[in-house]
Structure formats: C-alpha cells, structure tokens
Amino acid sequence: MKISEILNNNRVTVSFEVFPPKQWDKIENTKQIVAKMCEDAPSFMSVTYGAAGTTSGFTTEIASKIKECGVEPLSHLTCLTSTRDKIHQVVNELSDNGIENILALRGDIPQGFEFSQKQYFTNAYQLVNEIKSINPNFCIGAACYPEIHPESKNRVEDIAHLKEKVDCGVEFLTSQMFFDNEKFFNFVEMCLIKGIDVPIIAGIMPITNANQIKRSIELSNSSVPTKFFRIMERFGDDPNKMKQAGIIYATEQIIDLMANGINNIHIYTMNKPDVANAIMRGISEIINE
C-alpha cells in the first residue's frame, strides 16, 4: 500500500523510524528489533539510508523485513554522494522487492565534501524527478524542517525549496524532530498559505538520555524549550529517570499535537522497541478511532 493512501484516510497514524546496521553481521539483530516494533502495529515504518550509501543494500533488507512483518515500509534514499547509475540500481532493487514508497532526501554533506561541476544531484527535487523517470508508480515523500533548514537563509527561501519538491510530485512530508509544538503549528500554517497542501507528518524524537540532545539539535536545527532543559537538569544524570521523563515528554507532545488536529505522527525510535512501545501504550486509547 502507498503511504499517501494511509495518510489520506482521515484516521490517526503513528509510524516508526528504524536504521539499518553498519555491519552485515548485525543484520539479524536489527531484524529482531523490527519484528518487535511491528508488534505495536505502526501505520508504517521507515528505514534510513546509510551515509554516502554505504548500507544501501541493508536498507532494502530491513525494508523487506518490515513488509514481511505485515507493516508497510518506507525506504529512505539519499542522492548527494550517489551517481545516476547507483540511484537507478537502488530504485530498481526496491521495486523488485515489492517496496513502493521512498522518502527522497538530498542527504547530509559529508565532512570535507566539495561540490563540483560533475555533481549530478545537488537537491532533493532532482532525486524526486529521477525516481519518477525510473518508475512513476513509486509514492514519494520528502523531509521538511519546522524551524528552517540549517542551510536556508530564511523561512521564505526554505518554504520555496519545499514547494519546489512538492511541485515535482512529492505526496507527503515528514518533519525533522522538534520539541516545541507551537513551532510546528506555525510551520504547517505557513505551508498552507504557500500552497503546500500535502500531508505533513510530525516527527517526534523521544530524548531518553542527556547525550542525545546536542546531536539532535545539530541534525534538526530545532530549539529546545526551557521546560525540556529543566527536565534534563533535574534527571539527566540518572539514566532511568531521564528515560522515563523523555518518554513522557514525547507522549505529551503527541497528545497535544493530536488535540490540535495533527493526525499523523512519526516517532524517531533510535531502534528502541521498549521506548516505542511505552509511547504507544501511553496513547493507546487516543489513537483507537
């Protein structure tokens, strides 16, 4: 089933993200994690793509396992460090495995990387066009930043780039993590004003240890409310307390989003089935529509 169909049925959706291992000998362990998460019946599950495509084959393997467990997979695909031949290979590989949903991403710029005239892909919309040219039957999503992409000059430029992706055929957007719901509400309103009317999925990251927060901010360009800083100050030195506090904070975020009409939630699970399960139990009656 296509993700667009799942999102457009006017029901609450909660999806998970997992990442593949860096070494092949860890693949079975990751498959066990996937199987455990599928027991919570997420609406779909996305699987990330390795840095510079290093684990692209692993991505397909994990996506296939998700499908085997009865959950619809969404495969990430990045293009910045890929050739056209590589993109064609991966897209055809996904199609051959019955996977029909792709999250099209430019990808992070590797340290020391320099753009050159030989660079074929420099933006995500180019990848969207390429996927459509290979197989127009794929359902394609893209990423968005509630608090502006780190490389954008301002919100106007950021929304313009986002509109460019949607105009190329992107059918849904998944947001980077955020910790202040008001930022997301304002972002969704701005998108609607600019004619971006595809479903926007709210990306939630449960911060279960204090060391996560710095890296999370770097990746998402997100601000952290005073409320959350106080949680870290009080509980950050105690792993068990911080884990519980992080799960509760994320759960409260999700409840507030749903109360304000946001029906599509994506949880960045960090491959932690117990965290995903705790959140799902915390909202079990709320999503039972």
Side-chain angles (χ1 to χ4, degrees):
M1 178 181 288
K2 294 185 176 180
I3 303 300
S4 57
E5 296 176 70
I6 296 173
L7 297 174
N8 287 316
N9 65 5
N10 296 318
R11 299 190 57 157
V12 169
T13 70
V14 180
S15 53
F16 298 160
E17 177 178 288
V18 295
F19 53 82
K22 293 181 180 179
Q23 292 86 31
W24 182 255
D25 61 359
K26 305 293 185 183
I27 197 81
E28 291 304 320
N29 181 61
T30 304
K31 286 183 179 181
Q32 291 176 18
I33 290 171
V34 165
K36 187 67 177 175
M37 286 189 178
C38 285
E39 293 177 5
D40 282 313
S43 303
F44 62 90
M45 286 179 67
S46 73
V47 53
T48 63
Y49 195 72
T54 52
T55 61
S56 59
F58 298 2
T59 298
T60 303
E61 187 80 8
I62 297 303
S64 297
K65 178 62 178 180
I66 293 169
K67 194 173 185 69
E68 179 186 315
C69 291
V71 175
E72 197 60 43
L74 168 63
S75 181
H76 291 210
L77 180 58
T78 63
C79 64
L80 181 62
T81 57
S82 294
T83 63
R84 288 187 72 191
D85 287 344
K86 178 64 175 178
I87 294 300
H88 281 242
Q89 174 195 328
V90 174
V91 170
N92 288 327
E93 182 181 85
L94 292 171
S95 180
D96 290 344
N97 282 272
I99 296 160
E100 52 185 339
N101 301 288
I102 293 176
L103 191 69
L105 307 165
R106 185 202 66 179
D108 296 330
I109 301 175
Q111 188 172 6
F113 180 85
E114 294 184 5
F115 288 90
S116 69
Q117 292 183 339
K118 296 180 180 180
Q119 191 75 30
Y120 190 80
F121 297 106
T122 56
N123 293 286
Y125 80 87
Q126 296 167 320
L127 176 59
V128 175
N129 286 332
E130 195 71 23
I131 296 168
K132 290 287 185 183
S133 72
I134 301 166
N135 186 338
N137 295 319
F138 271 101
C139 175
I140 304 175
C144 59
Y145 286 73
E147 298 184 62
I148 307 178
H149 191 286
E151 296 171 32
S152 291
K153 296 177 182 177
N154 51 50
R155 171 63 73 199
V156 173
E157 180 182 87
D158 193 41
I159 294 289
H161 288 317
L162 195 58
K163 182 70 162 59
E164 190 173 30
K165 288 190 283 191
V166 172
D167 289 345
C168 287
V170 163
E171 298 180 60
F172 64 94
L173 298 167
T174 301
S175 87
Q176 278 284 358
M177 66 196 79
F178 59 92
F179 304 100
D180 183 344
N181 286 359
E182 289 301 320
K183 304 284 187 183
F184 185 78
F185 297 144
N186 292 338
F187 170 71
V188 170
E189 183 178 5
M190 180 64 72
C191 286
L192 288 172
I193 290 171
K194 295 299 182 180
I196 298 172
D197 57 0
V198 298
I200 302 177
I201 307 170
I204 299 299
M205 167 73 88
I207 301 295
T208 56
N209 69 74
N211 292 331
Q212 276 183 283
I213 193 66
K214 182 179 179 181
R215 180 60 176 156
S216 298
I217 292 172
E218 290 174 353
L219 288 171
S220 63
N221 198 36
S222 58
S223 57
V224 180
T226 301
K227 176 182 176 180
F228 195 78
F229 270 123
R230 287 175 178 164
I231 289 172
M232 288 192 298
E233 287 175 357
R234 178 67 186 270
F235 307 119
D237 293 334
D238 187 313
N240 291 329
K241 290 179 180 179
M242 187 62 222
K243 181 177 180 179
Q244 186 175 53
I247 289 170
I248 291 171
Y249 188 92
T251 303
E252 290 180 346
Q253 259 195 284
I254 292 170
I255 292 170
D256 180 60
L257 287 164
M258 291 181 177
N260 284 278
I262 305 299
N263 284 339
N264 302 311
I265 308 295
H266 190 61
I267 301 174
Y268 295 102
T269 69
M270 300 301 291
N271 286 22
K272 297 176 180 177
D274 58 329
V275 173
N277 176 259
I279 293 174
M280 292 297 274
R281 285 188 285 111
I283 59 175
S284 57
E285 292 301 320
I286 294 171
I287 64 175
N288 186 22
E289 296 183 349

